[in-house]
């Protein structure tokens, strides 16, 4: 099918992936499912073909390609006929290594990312714990820094690639328990490190070929250099990676649904009842028509979310919607297709039974459907209803606030030597303003920063200029509220703005206006 999102190069890449999966993976699906493992030799082969570094730069061995190459790859993975293979490979490339690339030191990238892209290493993302589930902020695994090493104690569960991988990108608590999300960090932990144990392999109803493990850390010793990014910023790194993780889940679900329908069509063409093929019965073919239409809708939503992501948009709502819709639909498709197989669908020898089992995991992994709904509803209700695109883009009158004498911006510039207060950052906004990004845009913002010595500010953008005044003046287009610590964290880069919003630490009256606002200012130089 022709698409506005894919070029001829994308299509050629898709064909190469399909050829590999159908010729080198699918013929072994039954054996891998039966043995409950994926042979490690397939990963170097994936690396050799360039399938494990799609989004990573060439300097690390990747392809430096756009996100639609990744979408094409993920959609073709289900032709392996084993959901476990899809899970294992997607975790390796789009989850465990993404944090290392985004926030890790150059040394970590060379030690873990490069061999992962080549397929010599297999990585796992270790976040979930027995008592926390989707509540990432509540993890209990601790990591205390002693003599240049982190001493890690705790456990993780439901870890894909956990039993046979080489390293875990692990969420640990480096702060106090009462710090919640603000006390979480990411560490890269080697499987063979002292004190690291695979407690047991977990026996699943589906995804049989992928290994899923429960891990235990007992005074595990991890070099301080294995910290990913700054200490206590792990939660924000995790939140930042979620859109890609959810896009991955959505694309795999779309691909799985397509293969499931294809296999069912083949069965219905070959199977006869009452003297004619099953595909000649209107009631049955119309059920498949409905499924195909719904699947196409889910696919186009996934493509739209991917397009937003590729163009630097947060795509939090859209990727969550795509994940929710595609994975829930995947369950429905597998169930309906099994029904259309009749009694044979319930037999293990028919692969629709495997699709039925495997589809069930997708609504739980990478964030449950319930979590997706909570994210979407929060963005709709507390974020100024991003769905109201027309209203968001409609011009609104901006009441001119009283102008005050501008401060000496050079003196208030946020440098390593000057105090970094709320007033410093806000007064420096005109200097960081990029008029080329705000041409023709007139807006007015009210900032309410609790806990600050200067808690209230008005920021006005008038096309080519930006003005700030202390206090609240005029009728705002958007009101922004947060604490002093959150504001300073966002400005310095220690706190991810998107994650802070999702946690409720930042409240805005119009999310669309705020997203545009953020793009017209240069980031503050790090210390």
């Amino acid at each position: 099918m022709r698409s506005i999102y894919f070029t001829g190069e994308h299509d050629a890449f898709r064909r190469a992936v399909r050829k590999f999966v159908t010729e080198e993976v699918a013929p072994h699906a039954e054996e891998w499912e039966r043995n409950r493992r994926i042979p490690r030799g397939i990963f170097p082969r994936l690396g050799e073909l360039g399938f494990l570094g799609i989004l990573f730069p060439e300097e690390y061995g990747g392809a430096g390609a756009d996100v639609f190459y990744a979408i094409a790859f993920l959609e073709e993975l289900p032709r392996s006929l084993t959901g476990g293979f899809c899970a294992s490979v997607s975790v390796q490339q789009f989850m465990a290594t993404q944090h290392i690339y985004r926030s890790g030191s150059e040394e970590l990238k060379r030690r873990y990312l490069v061999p992962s892209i080549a397929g010599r290493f297999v990585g796992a993302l270790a976040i979930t714990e027995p008592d926390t589930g989707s509540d990432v902020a509540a993890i209990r695994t601790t990591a205390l820094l002693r003599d240049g090493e982190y001493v890690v104690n705790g456990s993780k569960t439901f870890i894909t690639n956990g039993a046979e991988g080489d390293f875990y990108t692990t969420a640990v608590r480096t702060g106090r328990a009462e710090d919640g999300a603000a006390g979480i960090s990411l560490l890269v932990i080697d499987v063979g490190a002292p004190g690291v144990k695979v407690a047991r392999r977990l026996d699943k109803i589906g995804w049989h070929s992928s290994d899923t493990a429960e891990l235990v850390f007992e005074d595990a010793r991890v070099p301080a250099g294995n910290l990913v990014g700054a200490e206590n910023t792990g939660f924000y790194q995790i939140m930042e990676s979620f859109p890609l993780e959810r896009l991955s889940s959505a694309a795999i679900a779309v691909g799985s649904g397509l293969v499931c329908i294809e296999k069912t069509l083949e069965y219905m063409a070959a199977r006869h009842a009452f003297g004619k093929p099953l595909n000649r019965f209107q009631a049955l073919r119309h059920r498949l028509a409905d499924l195909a239409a719904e699947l196409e809708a889910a696919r186009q939503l996934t493509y739209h979310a991917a397009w937003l992501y590729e163009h630097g948009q947060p795509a939090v709502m859209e990727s969550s919607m795509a994940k929710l819709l595609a994975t829930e639909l995947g369950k429905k498709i597998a169930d309906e297709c099994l029904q259309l197989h009749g009694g044979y669908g319930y037999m293990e020898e028919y692969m629709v039974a495997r699709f039925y089992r495997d589809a069930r995991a997708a609504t739980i992994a990478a964030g449950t459907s319930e979590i997706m709904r909570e994210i979407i509803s929060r963005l709709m209700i507390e974020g100024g209803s991003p769905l109201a695109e027309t209203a968001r883009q409609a011009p609104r009158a901006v009441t001119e606030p009283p102008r005050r004498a501008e401060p000496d911006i050079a003196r208030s510039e946020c440098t390593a030597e000057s105090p970094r207060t709320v007033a410093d950052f806000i007064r420096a906004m005109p200097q960081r303003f990029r008029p080329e990004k705000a041409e023709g845009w007139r807006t007015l913002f009210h900032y309410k920063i609790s806990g600050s010595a200067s808690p209230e500010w008005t920021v006005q953008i008038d096309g080519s200029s930006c003005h700030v005044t202390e206090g609240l003046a005029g009728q705002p287009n958007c009101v922004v509220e947060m604490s002093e610590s959150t504001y300073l964290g966002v400005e310095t880069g220690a706190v991810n703005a998107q994650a802070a919003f999702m946690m409720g630490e930042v409240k805005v009256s119009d999310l669309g206006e705020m997203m545009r606002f953020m793009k017209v200012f240069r980031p503050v130089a790090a210390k």
Side-chain angles (χ1 to χ4, degrees):
M1 177 183 293
R2 295 186 62 185
S3 171
I4 61 173
Y5 300 105
F6 296 94
T7 65
E9 288 77 11
H10 290 110
D11 294 337
F13 177 75
R14 181 188 291 273
R15 289 192 294 271
V17 176
R18 181 176 298 191
K19 184 176 187 297
F20 163 74
V21 171
T22 56
E23 294 181 2
E24 300 187 40
V25 181
H28 306 288
E30 294 287 349
E31 176 188 357
W32 294 0
E33 288 281 297
R34 187 169 55 253
N35 295 339
R36 304 292 177 108
R37 69 182 301 270
I38 300 169
R40 282 294 298 267
I42 201 65
F43 284 93
R45 178 62 175 151
L46 282 161
E48 176 188 340
L49 293 171
F51 293 160
L52 292 179
I54 296 170
L55 301 180
F56 298 122
E58 294 181 11
E59 62 184 294
Y60 300 115
D66 66 50
V67 74
F68 283 101
Y69 282 92
I71 295 296
F73 174 76
L74 290 160
E75 284 186 325
E76 294 302 317
L77 282 183
R79 295 187 182 277
S80 64
L81 308 181
T82 162
F85 180 75
C86 301
S88 183
V89 173
S90 61
V91 165
Q92 156 84 347
Q93 179 170 188
F94 300 108
M95 299 174 202
T97 50
Q98 280 294 323
H99 297 291
I100 298 172
Y101 168 64
R102 289 172 178 268
S103 305
S105 65
E106 188 64 25
E107 180 185 358
L108 286 180
K109 292 174 186 176
R110 296 296 173 185
R111 283 172 51 200
Y112 296 100
L113 179 60
V114 171
S116 294
I117 291 172
R120 298 193 303 274
F121 278 9
V122 173
L125 184 62
I127 296 177
T128 304
E129 297 182 359
D131 297 324
T132 59
S134 296
D135 188 2
V136 179
I139 67 168
R140 300 177 182 177
T141 298
T142 59
L144 303 178
L145 188 59
R146 297 174 183 168
D147 301 323
E149 291 182 319
Y150 283 100
V151 181
V152 182
N153 285 280
S155 62
K156 300 289 179 181
T157 194
F158 309 141
I159 308 305
T160 299
N161 297 339
E164 298 191 17
D166 296 286
F167 66 89
Y168 311 123
T169 303
T170 311
V172 296
R173 182 163 297 285
T174 46
R176 301 169 303 172
E178 54 267 34
D179 292 336
I184 294 173
S185 300
L186 290 180
L187 285 177
V188 182
I189 301 178
D190 292 313
V191 170
V196 178
K197 299 179 182 178
V198 176
R200 62 187 177 116
R201 288 175 178 262
L202 300 174
D203 194 14
K204 311 181 295 294
I205 66 172
W207 286 7
H208 287 165
S209 63
S210 68
D211 72 88
T212 305
E214 185 174 295
L215 313 176
V216 173
F217 305 106
E218 297 177 344
D219 290 331
R221 303 281 174 167
V222 182
N226 280 29
L227 180 68
V228 181
E231 194 172 85
N232 297 328
T233 63
F235 183 85
Y236 304 102
Q237 295 175 43
I238 294 168
M239 293 295 107
E240 190 175 29
S241 72
F242 272 160
L244 179 60
E245 186 173 333
R246 287 161 186 162
L247 280 174
S248 299
S249 297
I252 290 174
V254 166
S256 297
L258 181 60
V259 175
C260 198
I261 290 175
E262 288 176 356
K263 296 297 181 183
T264 302
L265 283 170
E266 292 175 6
Y267 172 81
M268 291 174 66
R271 176 73 173 168
H272 287 66
F274 303 103
K276 59 182 179 181
L278 293 183
N279 63 11
R280 306 311 299 170
F281 290 90
Q282 186 182 71
L284 303 184
R285 58 199 286 168
H286 282 191
R287 287 166 73 176
L288 279 178
D290 287 341
L291 294 176
E294 292 179 60
L295 183 61
E296 187 59 31
R299 175 155 59 176
Q300 294 304 320
L301 175 57
T302 301
Y303 290 173
H304 173 62
W307 185 89
L308 292 173
Y309 181 86
E310 177 66 22
H311 286 79
Q313 301 298 312
V316 177
M317 172 177 275
E318 293 82 0
S319 62
S320 299
M321 286 177 168
K323 201 270 185 185
L324 172 64
L325 187 63
T327 57
E328 289 289 342
L329 179 59
K331 283 196 311 182
K332 178 181 177 181
I333 289 174
D335 181 66
E336 290 278 1
C337 287
L338 188 151
Q339 185 71 21
L340 291 171
H341 278 71
Y344 290 107
Y346 205 62
M347 300 297 108
E348 286 285 359
E349 62 187 281
Y350 282 80
M351 63 186 62
V352 70
R354 188 187 311 151
F355 274 92
Y356 180 79
R357 293 194 310 269
D358 289 351
R360 193 61 190 83
T363 61
I364 299 173
T368 65
S369 292
E370 289 72 25
I371 293 295
M372 296 304 103
R373 293 184 180 103
E374 177 60 22
I375 291 170
I376 294 164
S377 63
R378 176 174 292 188
L379 285 166
M380 289 173 60
I381 296 167
E382 298 179 24
S385 188
L387 290 176
E389 188 70 27
T390 302
R392 189 196 316 168
Q393 293 179 353
R396 287 181 289 176
V398 177
T399 303
E400 187 78 11
R403 294 286 179 86
R404 301 184 186 180
E406 295 290 346
D408 184 348
I409 297 300
R411 291 184 182 177
S412 62
E413 181 182 1
C414 300
T415 65
E417 292 74 30
S418 65
R420 293 194 162 208
T421 65
V422 169
D424 287 332
F425 281 112
I426 294 184
R427 285 179 175 145
M429 278 185 172
Q431 185 170 351
R432 295 191 283 131
F433 179 64
R434 298 191 289 186
E436 71 278 5
K437 299 287 186 179
E439 186 175 355
W441 186 39
R442 301 180 71 242
T443 190
L444 190 146
F445 275 66
H446 281 175
Y447 270 80
K448 299 179 180 180
I449 313 297
S450 63
S452 170
S454 305
E456 297 181 336
W457 295 85
T458 298
V459 181
Q460 182 190 3
I461 294 174
D462 187 5
S464 61
S465 63
C466 171
H467 305 277
V468 300
T469 54
E470 189 169 355
L472 304 179
Q475 182 65 36
N477 296 73
C478 183
V479 178
V480 186
E481 299 178 79
M482 70 189 87
S483 69
E484 180 183 38
S485 61
T486 299
Y487 178 80
L488 295 177
V490 169
E491 287 286 21
T492 59
V495 171
N496 177 271
Q498 173 183 307
F501 173 78
M502 289 308 306
M503 293 167 58
E505 294 179 358
V506 176
K507 295 181 179 180
V508 298
S509 62
D510 190 314
L511 183 61
E513 196 81 354
M514 188 66 195
M515 295 309 302
R516 186 172 184 182
F517 185 83
M518 292 169 64
K519 293 179 181 179
V520 302
F521 292 97
R522 283 184 291 272
V524 176
K527 287 187 179 180

